[in-house]
Amino acid sequence: MTVSTAPVPVAANASGTTQTTTRRNRLWALVIYILTALYFLLPLAATFYWSLRAERGTLGFEAYRRLFEDANFLPSFSQSIVNAIIAIVISLVIIVPTAYWVTLRLPKLRPVVEFITLLPFVIPAVVLSLALIILYSRPPLLLTRTYESSRVLLVCVYAALSFPYMFRAVDNGLRAMDVRALTEAAQSLGAGWPTILFRVIFPNLRVALISGALLTFAIVIGELTIALFMAQRTLGPYMANLTRSKVYEPSAMAIVAFAITWAAMGIIQLIGRGQQGSIGGGH
Amino acid sequence: MAYLTLTNVSKQFGETYAVQDFNLDVEKGEFVSFLGPSGCGKTTTLRMVAGFETPTNGMITLDGSDITHKSPNQRNMGMIFQSYALFPNMTVAQNIGFGLRVRKMSKAAISERVQEMVSLVNLENHVGKYPYQLSGGQQQRVSLARALAIRPNVLLLDEPLSALDAKIRVSLRAQIREIQKKLGITAIFVTHDQEEALSISDRIVVMYEGNVEQVGTPFEIYNFPNTQFVANFVGSLNTAVAEVIDRENGLLSVDGVQFASAAKMDGYARGDRVRIAIRPERFSFASEVKKANVVDCQIENITFLGSVVRVHILIGNSKFTMDTFNYPSLALPKIGAADQVTCSREAVLILGHANGSAN
Amino acid sequence: MKATLQSDVQPTNLTVRGAKRPSRLPIWHWLGVLPFFIFSALFLIGPTLVLAYRSLEDPDGGLSFVNYLQLTNPTVINAYSLSIRVSLTTAILGGLIGFLVAWAVSIGGLPRPFRSLTTTFSGVASNFAGVPLAAAFIFTLGRVGVVTALFELLGVDLYGTGFSLYSYTGLVLVYLYFQIPLMVLVILPALDGLKREWREAAENLGATPVQYWLHVALPVLIPSILGTMILLFGNAFGAHATAYALTGGLFNLATLLIGQQISGDVLHNPGLGFAVAMGMVIIMGVSITIYSILQRRSERWLR
């Protein structure tokens, strides 16, 4: 078989040097970025500007002062924070052992667990609210009669809704620390389970746990839908009320909410350097 | 006029020079390897030939025309990557035919050329498969076929065998060389593995820290290294510090032990301290054969490597290794015993003045 | 000197896993995961199953699809259709813009800080949704919003042209605020998966950048892009809080309809309400499934 080696001419529409292409790309990238940034910054800027105009004729933080002095603000805010903390604790206590066991002892259960962690995306908050009311407004599972029992239900639901994020965070953390090798090394050195959990697993999971906790916090703190239908006086319904009743305070509240979310996400980004940004829910 | 020339090519990244004053003439159909450790600039030079990097200085010409600033997609060169770089969404046949599709060849012509290439690399049974269904060696062969399909002017190979298993590496490099010879394509092969470079190249360019250390045939590079780096990097080497005793007769002293060398001593004066080098395989046991140099030594250790037996000896106060072929009736000395080894005058190389730095 | 192979460490009370031992799962292993399943059953699966069951109840107490047949109710149809329209639009628009932004901060060549800033902000923006987001947009484009006022200064009566924040257009505008970041976050890893060598190999073989994108990059990315757009669809479809805060719950969106149904049986038919809710779950389930399948496919190529 003879194989000729005469070169084949290239198409005539080949572009210029690689350097100009990269420069052109970078220009387009900048244009796209700036246009999108405008879209995202405009509402924030407008809101901030609005929040400074509570006092007639001058720019000041009057709206913020009124917000923080509002009789209902602090109670709802603290309720939300307490709810968030309890939900985080429940979630951590349930998810960490689950992720650990599924990784180490029960790998066959992984698909089932991962499916369950998909459920909060399949069941919208409003549908879940309806379902909860159906299930829990009648004996023997009567939980919606009193404010406190509804609150318990709400917190438990929040914990369940945080499972996807918590599980993903812990799972990534376990994978990053090669949990199997560490556990076996600890076992061969004679460590018992409590030692392994508290001296080996948890310390190495710190970053993952904090990320998961902060994400859960961000979701719970401003959650509206379920809190609304459970007649809870948390930050979400409070903010919704504010939007309908006051003029300037809602803008201050929006900026405060933004700042809190930014703080939470910023901390996650800082401690989890290089890991993917976190997607929230509750919208 | 050489087919591919690089003249005074350098590449600067910020303050550092990745490649400095690179000069090379490559003849048509020649197989040239760039050999050196990581960071020596060999890949950067290759990428400049390909067009993915632009030289800071210097000129690259192909068949007489200046291609220094031509974009990569106009140079008609085929490149093989270490990571194969096969398009994951295309079958073997589609990958190979990609360059031809870009050149708007007819379907029939593409199909024919693809068939030709597939037979060339012996992958007839895999034409419909996707890259993830192939082994590393198979993927690299597809990559080779894909590059050759466009009938490139030059074939560029960037450490193509580094990601493969040892056995495949050996067989594939032979295949690459065979195909290259058959097609008469000019090829540049980048590697850090000196055995690879020595076994398949027409010429080797040894590089270190952005500079060309030596250009020559494998035989020249191995047997007549110009610099200490080349001597050390290519093949294994014993080095020791010696004092010049007698310039005319080529006599040196290593810790009091006398060696006679056939190397030119013009640049050295009596009493100068120089660095000498002797390849391990140039030593033999004096009990078996006697050459020009017969020296006393002490056996420190013996390592059995299969076909080769490596004897670690002490001559004076300097450590040497001696490689000797293994055969069943080989009588090895005892560890700790005194013995005698021998080597020829030509085996004793002089690398230059001995400075403070150890190597 | 005989080497001893026995370790001095006391054996633990754990089962040593060796290759020769048959795998047995003691009951107490399951205890580790039991709380998880109980919790999920109580607060996720259980309620949903009960909802599903109730949606299949007909007036006589038996099981049938009678409620589902009534989904042709005009209110329901309108609500679904508006939800689908909004979700589709924001999925496609959000997907395209999100893709472009992700491209800009990765392959497009913008400096490193742009990327981490974008990732952090995307996390913030997608969590900002709900009341704060709606409020922010009201202050921007509401009837007395800052931008509306700016338009007035320029002599344009924004609301006079028929635009309203409390309409399909307004909703799309607001939803994009969390759709675009979601797309950016999910598609960035996929873009990172595009090996530089593919572009170089294509260039080397004679392809222009356009040809490379057409024949290699886009085909490889399509499963990811499509899958994420479907994720975006589901995301918008199930969104409640933002729409509620924006419109007071009075808009005819599927989620808002269910909300109204909870507050006060607006459909005058509880069973229908359950069917509407389950209809949502089915749509979401389908979209998540398609997304998962496409994700797996793209992982195979972009690993």
Side-chain angles (χ1 to χ4, degrees):
Chain A
M1 173 187 69
T2 48
V3 178
S4 90
T5 55
V8 177
V10 183
N13 60 347
S15 64
T17 68
T18 350
Q19 278 181 330
T20 35
T21 324
T22 328
R23 236 176 285 146
R24 202 164 10 131
N25 279 351
R26 214 167 287 174
L27 201 63
W28 275 116
L30 197 60
V31 169
I32 293 171
Y33 196 85
I34 291 182
L35 286 177
T36 324
L38 275 174
Y39 164 74
F40 280 100
L41 291 177
L42 204 54
L44 290 173
T47 311
F48 185 62
Y49 172 69
W50 194 281
S51 74
L52 294 176
R53 289 187 50 207
E55 228 176 313
R56 210 176 296 274
T58 170
L59 287 178
F61 291 97
E62 174 67 19
Y64 294 87
R65 192 185 61 76
R66 282 193 220 158
L67 175 70
F68 285 106
E69 285 182 354
D70 183 34
N72 295 322
F73 174 69
L74 234 38
S76 355
F77 192 57
S78 56
Q79 269 205 24
S80 279
I81 292 201
V82 171
N83 287 353
I85 294 179
I86 301 180
I88 291 173
V89 170
I90 297 178
S91 189
L92 283 176
V93 167
I94 292 184
I95 287 290
V96 175
T98 307
Y100 183 74
W101 252 265
V102 163
T103 310
L104 237 43
R105 302 295 172 119
L106 302 163
K108 293 211 182 84
L109 272 186
R110 177 173 280 271
V112 179
V113 171
E114 291 195 339
F115 170 75
I116 294 183
T117 55
L118 274 182
L119 285 179
F121 295 118
V122 175
I123 311 168
V126 70
V127 171
L128 187 59
S129 305
L130 178 60
L132 288 168
I133 290 177
I134 297 177
L135 183 55
Y136 290 104
S137 37
R138 256 180 266 194
L141 293 164
L142 184 55
L143 279 177
T144 56
R145 208 154 71 94
T146 67
Y147 187 86
E148 282 71 29
S149 58
S150 297
R151 186 172 178 187
V152 168
L153 182 59
L154 184 68
V155 172
C156 288
V157 173
Y158 281 161
L161 288 180
S162 76
F163 282 172
Y165 310 103
M166 206 57 101
F167 184 79
R168 186 151 48 115
V170 175
D171 194 38
N172 286 341
L174 287 176
R175 217 171 294 197
M177 67 185 255
D178 195 0
V179 67
R180 183 179 289 272
L182 286 186
T183 310
E184 291 180 351
Q187 281 178 331
S188 71
L189 291 165
W193 278 113
T195 315
I196 296 180
L197 263 177
F198 289 107
R199 289 216 171 203
V200 177
I201 309 287
F202 279 144
N204 282 303
L205 272 185
R206 236 175 336 130
V207 170
L209 294 181
I210 295 180
S211 299
L214 281 169
L215 208 43
T216 310
F217 180 81
I219 297 170
V220 170
I221 212 69
E223 204 276 335
L224 171 67
T225 308
I226 310 180
L228 193 66
F229 293 115
M230 292 282 135
Q232 293 290 304
R233 289 185 294 277
T234 58
L235 198 59
Y238 168 78
M239 292 199 289
N241 252 330
L242 204 64
T243 318
R244 259 177 282 289
S245 56
K246 297 285 173 70
V247 178
Y248 291 103
E249 284 86 318
S251 60
M253 159 215 88
I255 295 294
V256 170
F258 182 77
I260 295 179
T261 318
W262 186 277
M265 291 299 134
I267 299 178
I268 294 183
Q269 196 80 341
L270 262 157
I271 60 167
R273 221 171 283 279
Q275 288 165 20
Q276 189 182 343
S278 331
I279 309 160
H283 46 268
Chain B
M1 174 77 188
Y3 188 61
L4 173 71
T5 68
L6 287 90
T7 320
N8 292 330
V9 171
S10 22
K11 180 69 183 170
Q12 224 178 334
F13 288 114
E15 288 295 311
T16 43
Y17 273 94
V19 179
Q20 220 168 0
D21 291 327
F22 191 97
N23 285 288
L24 184 68
D25 288 341
V26 182
E27 301 298 326
K28 195 163 186 349
E30 202 182 354
F31 193 109
V32 175
S33 290
F34 292 174
L35 174 66
S38 312
C40 69
K42 54 192 194 294
T43 301
T44 311
T45 313
L46 187 79
R47 287 170 65 85
M48 285 195 279
V49 176
F52 296 127
E53 306 278 356
T54 319
T56 321
N57 281 316
M59 185 171 74
I60 304 177
T61 70
L62 180 70
D63 207 8
S65 49
D66 184 351
I67 60 166
T68 320
H69 296 284
K70 235 184 184 174
S71 68
N73 50 11
Q74 284 181 306
R75 298 194 186 198
N76 201 42
M77 296 182 181
M79 184 139 169
I80 319 275
F81 298 82
Q82 185 178 350
S83 63
Y84 326 131
L86 293 181
F87 304 130
N89 55 313
M90 300 185 193
T91 61
V92 166
Q94 289 168 334
N95 259 287
I96 299 178
F98 181 79
L100 307 171
R101 246 170 55 206
V102 163
R103 285 161 174 71
K104 303 220 174 46
M105 279 172 67
S106 72
K107 271 217 168 88
I110 295 182
S111 171
E112 192 186 319
R113 180 76 59 83
V114 169
Q115 257 315 108
E116 195 184 306
M117 291 294 118
V118 166
S119 319
L120 193 63
V121 294
N122 298 322
L123 283 173
E124 290 95 335
N125 297 330
H126 304 276
V127 270
K129 292 209 180 134
Y130 284 91
Y132 74 93
Q133 293 171 299
L134 302 171
S135 71
Q138 289 168 328
Q139 287 188 54
Q140 202 58 296
R141 277 146 63 194
V142 175
S143 180
L144 185 62
R146 181 177 68 177
L148 291 172
I150 58 170
R151 309 266 196 256
N153 297 316
V154 184
L155 191 61
L156 305 167
L157 305 107
D158 187 3
E159 306 216 40
L161 309 174
S162 304
L164 301 169
D165 294 336
K167 271 222 163 71
I168 312 264
R169 233 183 282 167
V170 175
S171 69
L172 194 53
R173 80 180 181 220
Q175 277 188 351
I176 292 177
R177 177 57 156 158
E178 195 186 306
I179 294 176
Q180 180 263 343
K181 264 202 230 171
K182 178 149 79 170
L183 298 179
I185 289 192
T186 318
I188 300 185
F189 186 93
V190 164
T191 179
H192 60 267
D193 183 336
Q194 38 119 347
E195 187 189 302
E196 255 171 39
L198 289 172
S199 61
I200 57 176
S201 321
D202 287 323
R203 275 193 300 160
I204 302 179
V205 178
V206 183
M207 295 180 71
Y208 182 57
E209 286 184 348
N211 291 307
V212 175
E213 294 279 315
Q214 188 171 352
V215 181
T217 65
F219 188 86
E220 286 165 11
I221 302 271
Y222 189 85
N223 289 315
F224 308 113
N226 278 349
T227 72
Q228 175 152 346
F229 173 77
V230 177
N232 253 317
F233 190 78
V234 183
S236 43
L237 194 68
N238 291 302
T239 58
V241 177
E243 194 184 312
V244 178
I245 302 179
D246 187 340
R247 261 190 52 184
E248 280 86 45
N249 293 320
L251 296 178
L252 308 123
S253 156
V254 177
D255 301 328
V257 179
Q258 187 171 302
F259 276 91
S261 169
K264 286 199 177 44
M265 295 249 232
D266 299 337
Y268 309 110
R270 191 192 145 96
D272 274 355
R273 289 169 67 75
V274 295
R275 195 166 280 279
I276 64 161
I278 306 178
R279 295 250 185 241
E281 64 270 19
R282 306 299 296 272
F283 279 115
S284 310
F285 285 116
S287 50
E288 293 175 14
V289 62
K290 282 215 168 25
K291 303 200 179 145
N293 286 302
V294 179
V295 294
D296 294 320
C297 68
Q298 191 167 9
I299 311 288
E300 291 209 300
N301 201 1
I302 299 183
T303 318
F304 182 69
L305 295 173
S307 59
V308 160
V309 175
R310 183 158 290 163
V311 189
H312 300 267
I313 57 181
L314 200 64
I315 299 181
N317 293 326
S318 309
K319 293 184 194 280
F320 284 79
T321 25
M322 169 178 132
D323 283 352
T324 183
F325 272 120
N326 173 41
Y327 53 90
S329 50
L330 179 63
L332 287 171
K334 280 203 168 39
I335 297 182
D339 208 321
Q340 275 191 329
V341 292
T342 178
C343 71
S344 65
R345 295 177 73 108
E346 290 75 22
V348 182
L349 307 168
I350 299 186
L351 295 181
H353 287 281
N355 45 19
S357 59
N359 193 337
Chain C
M1 179 178 57
K2 199 172 66 176
T4 167
L5 289 173
Q6 280 170 321
S7 104
D8 291 322
V9 179
Q10 290 302 316
T12 66
N13 59 349
L14 303 159
T15 339
V16 175
R17 279 177 289 118
K20 293 178 277 264
R21 280 183 210 244
S23 59
R24 45 193 172 96
L25 294 170
I27 294 293
W28 64 274
H29 274 311
W30 293 86
L31 280 178
V33 292
L34 208 56
F36 174 77
F37 285 113
I38 295 180
F39 226 77
S40 308
L42 277 178
F43 303 110
L44 282 176
I45 310 175
T48 316
L49 287 178
V50 172
L51 178 65
Y53 178 79
R54 293 288 295 273
S55 73
L56 291 169
E57 267 183 351
D58 69 21
D60 310 317
L63 288 178
S64 77
F65 284 102
V66 62
N67 291 317
Y68 287 89
L69 292 173
Q70 289 177 350
L71 284 174
T72 50
N73 178 317
T75 324
V76 176
I77 296 272
N78 286 337
Y80 266 97
S81 95
L82 183 62
S83 280
I84 291 179
R85 275 174 62 212
V86 172
S87 308
L88 218 55
T89 314
T90 58
I92 296 176
L93 266 183
L96 279 169
I97 301 176
F99 178 77
L100 287 174
V101 174
W103 170 84
V105 297
S106 57
I107 304 179
L110 286 178
R112 272 311 191 92
F114 277 80
R115 175 158 174 166
S116 44
L117 184 66
T118 308
T119 345
T120 317
F121 186 83
S122 297
V124 176
S126 52
N127 269 308
F128 189 56
V131 186
L133 179 64
F137 264 91
I138 293 176
F139 289 120
T140 315
L141 283 168
R143 282 187 198 277
V144 285
V146 171
V147 173
T148 321
L150 273 172
F151 270 106
E152 252 180 63
L153 279 177
L154 296 170
V156 178
D157 180 7
L158 196 59
Y159 276 75
T161 63
F163 167 81
S164 165
L165 185 61
Y166 316 99
S167 69
Y168 161 80
T169 326
L171 219 54
V172 166
L173 219 54
V174 179
Y175 273 27
L176 281 176
Y177 207 87
F178 55 78
Q179 293 285 65
I180 295 176
L182 182 59
M183 179 69 174
V184 171
L185 286 177
V186 179
I187 211 78
L188 262 178
L191 279 171
D192 286 339
L194 276 182
K195 296 210 198 122
R196 184 183 70 163
E197 285 96 28
W198 291 336
R199 184 177 56 81
E200 291 183 349
E203 258 190 297
N204 179 257
L205 292 162
T208 61
V210 172
Q211 283 171 319
Y212 161 67
W213 274 94
L214 217 56
H215 292 291
V216 183
L218 278 181
V220 169
L221 284 175
I222 287 285
S224 259
I225 297 179
L226 227 53
T228 315
M229 281 195 187
I230 292 177
L231 186 69
L232 254 57
F233 176 86
N235 199 33
F237 196 71
H240 171 267
T242 315
Y244 178 86
L246 197 63
T247 66
L250 300 171
F251 220 51
N252 201 17
L253 226 54
T255 45
L256 292 178
L257 180 62
I258 299 176
Q260 295 157 22
Q261 183 69 358
I262 299 178
S263 315
D265 194 5
V266 293
L267 293 169
H268 308 298
N269 183 348
L272 177 58
F274 303 148
V276 173
M278 283 312 293
M280 276 209 102
V281 175
I282 294 173
I283 293 181
M284 301 289 280
V286 167
S287 57
I288 282 282
T289 313
I290 302 180
Y291 166 72
S292 301
I293 296 177
L294 287 172
Q295 261 305 91
R296 219 156 297 166
R297 172 82 74 87
S298 78
E299 257 168 36
R300 200 175 56 186
W301 287 345
L302 290 169
R303 215 174 317 134

